[in-house]
Amino acid sequence: MSDLPLIADVAIDLPGRDSYTYRVPETLAGTLKPGDCVGVPFGPRRLRGFVITIERREPPTGFTIRDIVSHQPEVRLPPHLLRLIAWGARYYRCSLGEFLAGAVPAPVREGAAPERLVLVAKVTSFSGTLSKRQQAVWNALPDAPTLLSEACRVAATTRATLDKLAEAGAVTITDDQQVREIRLEARQERHAHTDEQQVAIDTVAQALDAGRSQPFLLHGVTGSGKTLVYLDLAARVIAAGKQVLLLLPEIALTPQLAARVRNRFERVAVLHSGFTDGERADQWRKVAAGQIDLVVGTRSALFAPFPRPGLIIVDEEHEQSYKQESVPRYHARDLAIVYAGQLGIPVLLGSATPSLESVHNARQGRYRVLSLKNRPLGGKLPAPILIDMREECHAQKRTATICRELLTRLKQVKENGEQAIVLLNRRGWSPVVSCQSCGHTLSCTSCDISLTYHRGAEKVKCHYCGTEGPMPRKCPACSQPTLSTFGLGTEQLATQLAAEVPGLSVLRVDADTVAERQGHAKLFQAFSSGAADCLVGTQMVAKGLDFPRVTLVGIVAADRGLSLPDFRAAERTFQLVAQVAGRAGRGERPGTVVVQAFDTEAPALRCAVDHMPKTFVDAELKLREQYGYPPYAGLIRFLWSGESAANVQLVALKHGELLTRVADGCVILGPNPAAVAFLKDQHRWHALIKAGSRGTAQAFLDRVDAAGGLKKEKGVHVAIDVDPYQTS
Ligand SMILES: [Zn+2]
Ligand SMILES: [Zn+2]
C-alpha cells in the first residue's frame, strides 16, 4: 500500500469550479466510491457534494487540505448517470455541482429519512353504499394501488376520508409489502394492436434486441394509440431485466396515462411534486437499488438512478416544459438523446405535433420516423371551423369577443346534454387597465408589465411577479375616475358565455381557480362527472385530457401567441390549435372545433385547421433557415440582470465587447435591453448569439472561456442559456 493519502475531488453546488479537493479519512478508504454523496467543510460551512474521482496522490500544495466529514452510503449515482451529468454541465455551462443539485432531489442529497410507503387500493368489486362525497372520491381513485399522497391528490381528498372508505370496505390501506396480492385485482389492459402500432413496436424492438442506440420519432395523431406502443415496448425491456424511463411534460394533467402504467406494471414509480420528502427519498433509493422497473416523471426524472436503463421514452416531445428555465438550464429531450447514445439504447420521442427540431433531425436521417395515422377508437379528426373575428365584429356591429357560430353550437351542446371546452390562453378579467382621460396604463412597480384586472377578487395583479393590489378607483396619474379595462381573459369569457347561453353552467380552470380550489384534480373530476356543461380555461385544459362527452372545443384568440417576440411563436400556435383540435370527439360522438382569430390568413392557423402539418413545417423550416434560427443554427442567450439599470447596462456592454471580439463568424445580436426590460425589480439586458450549429455555438463559448470568461461584477448577474426557449 502506498503512503500517499487518498484524495477525492468533490463537486459542490456552487457556481464556477467543477470540483474541490478533500482528503478521504482512512475509515472510508474501502467504502467510498465515485458518485457517493458526502458532507464536506467549506469555509465555515458544511456542505454536501458528490465524489467525482478518488485516488492516492500527492496532496495539493498552497492550502490545507480538509477531510470529508460524512458519507451517505445509500446515495450513490451510477457511473453512467455521472457521465451524463458531466456532459450536461459542460454543454449547458454550469458547474458539475450545480448540475448535480438539479439532477438529484434535495431530500435525497440531504439524507431525508425514508418514509414507509403507504398504498391505497380500490376494492373494485365493492358494491356497498357510500355517501355522495365518498362515492365521488371512490370513483376518482385509480384502479391500481396508489401511494397515499398521490391518491389524496388524484381524488382531491384527505387521509381521513380514505380511512372512512376503508372502514366501509371500499378501499384497503396497506404498506408496501402487501402490494403484490392487491395487484391481482387490478384490471388488465387489452392488447389488440393496429397494424401501424405493430410496425412501430417491431421496429423499436429490433433496435432493442440488437442493442443499438437509435432515436425514433413516433409521429401519431391524437388518439392513435401511442401509449400502447410505449407500454408494450416497456414490457419487453422489463422482461429483459432492464429499466424504462417515461418522461411526460406534466404529471398532474395526465392522470390517465399514469393510471394505465400502474395497471400494467408492478414495480412503477410515478414521480410528481406531491411527494413528501421522505417518500421522494425512498423512491430514489428503490430506483437506485433496481427495485423499480419503470419511472414516469417530468423532465428531472431523466436522472432517475437506474442501474440498467434499457429504453427512454419522451412523450409530447414538442412541449416546452422539457426545458428547465433555471440552472441547470438543460432540455430533457435533447439530453435524453445524448444519454441514449452514451448507453447504446433506443430512445422514442412521441408527439402528434413534433417539434421542428425533431422533424428536421428525422429528415436528415438522424431519427427514424414511425407513423400512426389512424385512430383506432376516435374515428376521423374533426375539421375545425375558422372564424374571422374582423368579419364577426362587422356583422355584429360591435367589438365582438365570441362568435355566433360558437354560441349556436354551445346552445346545441346544452340541449343535447353534451359538454364543451373553450380555451383562451390568458387568465383574469382583462389584461389591460388604462385611463380614458390621460391614457395612463396601470403597470407593475416591479416589472415592465401591465397589470391584469381580476374582477372576482377586485384586484389588479402582475402575472410575472405576483404583485397585487386593490383595483384603484381613480387614475393614479390624473386622479380622474376614468379607468377602463381592455381585452378578454378567462374570467370574463366564462361570465360572458354563461350570460349568452341560457342555462349553460360554466366551470373555469386556470391558475387562479386551481389555486383557490386546491388543484385541477378536483375541477377536472367535477367536469368529468357532469357538474358543468362547459369548461373554460387556459392552455392547461389542452393537455392530455380525455373527456368522452366533450363534442365541442372552442379556441378564442387563437392568433394571440403569434404577436409574441419569439421565433417559435408560429410553431407554438400551430401545435396548440392542432393539439386542441385533436381533443374533440374522442368518444363515440363526432366533435366540432371552432377557432376564432383576427389574422385568419396566418399559415400557423390555416395549416392547423386544414390538417396540413407538412405544409406548415415546410414553410416554417424555410423561414428558420432563411433567418438563421434553430434547427439551422445554434443559439446562446446571455442575460444580465441587477437592481441598478446603469450597472446592468455597463456590464452588458463590457461583456458584449468580449463576445464581439471572439465572435469569429457568429452573429451577435445585442447586448440591448430585453423585451421585458424590468422584471421582479431587476433591470435586464440580453444578447443573442447565432452560430452555424450547436457545435459552433459550443466552440464560441470555449473561446469566451479562453479569453478569460465573463468577469463577475458586483450587483450584476449574468446567465448563460444554451439552446434558449425564452428570449424575451
Ligand atoms: Zn388618467
Ligand atoms: Zn410584476
Side-chain angles (χ1 to χ4, degrees), residues 434-437 472-476 478-484:
S434 58
C435 173
Q436 291 190 310
S437 304
R473 305 213 167 267
K474 293 176 186 166
C475 170
C478 71
S479 300
Q480 294 297 309
T482 45
L483 286 175
S484 286

Side-chain angles (χ1 to χ4, degrees), residues 453-470:
Y453 173 49
H454 290 250
R455 197 165 84 166
E458 198 51 27
K459 277 180 176 163
V460 284
K461 298 182 185 176
C462 171
H463 287 181
Y464 279 71
C465 72
T467 297
E468 58 175 59

Side-chain angles (χ1 to χ4, degrees), residues 444-449 451 462-467 678-680:
C444 178
T445 49
S446 294
C447 310
D448 206 356
I449 294 292
L451 294 173
C462 171
H463 287 181
Y464 279 71
C465 72
T467 297
F678 186 54
L679 184 70
K680 297 179 186 174

Side-chain angles (χ1 to χ4, degrees), residues 265-403:
F265 303 104
E266 279 187 33
R267 307 197 307 169
V268 172
V270 179
L271 306 180
H272 60 77
S273 54
F275 278 148
T276 64
D277 284 358
E279 284 177 341
R280 198 177 294 267
D282 190 76
Q283 291 278 25
W284 196 93
R285 282 165 210 177
K286 281 209 171 84
V287 172
Q291 293 164 10
I292 299 285
D293 297 322
L294 193 154
V295 161
V296 183
T298 51
R299 59 174 181 259
S300 62
L302 181 66
F303 309 110
F306 278 137
R308 292 184 70 206
L311 174 67
I312 307 173
I313 301 166
V314 184
D315 191 32
E316 307 291 346
E317 64 87 25
H318 62 279
E319 282 284 342
Q320 197 185 334
S321 59
Y322 284 121
K323 169 76 174 174
Q324 171 139 313
E325 293 297 350
S326 57
V327 175
R329 297 173 202 275
Y330 65 92
H331 194 294
R333 176 203 58 211
D334 294 354
L335 216 43
I337 302 283
V338 172
Y339 198 21
Q342 291 178 342
L343 292 164
I345 62 171
V347 52
L348 183 59
L349 311 179
S351 177
T353 52
S355 64
L356 290 185
E357 281 85 353
S358 293
V359 171
H360 181 68
N361 276 321
R363 289 184 179 182
Q364 298 289 308
R366 287 190 284 269
Y367 299 174
R368 181 152 175 196
V369 178
L370 306 165
S371 294
L372 303 180
K373 296 195 176 88
N374 300 308
R375 308 169 94 191
L377 300 172
K380 279 205 150 171
L381 280 173
I385 303 162
L386 186 57
I387 302 290
D388 186 332
M389 289 308 285
R390 287 167 302 188
E391 286 174 17
E392 194 68 24
C393 290
H394 188 70
Q396 292 191 30
K397 297 192 173 59
R398 59 172 177 151
T399 318
T401 48
I402 309 167
C403 67

Side-chain angles (χ1 to χ4, degrees), residues 356 616-628 632:
L356 290 185
F616 172 74
V617 165
D618 288 347
E620 190 63 18
L621 280 175
K622 211 166 168 185
L623 286 175
R624 298 271 183 97
E625 187 169 24
Q626 192 178 338
Y627 292 104
Y632 299 95

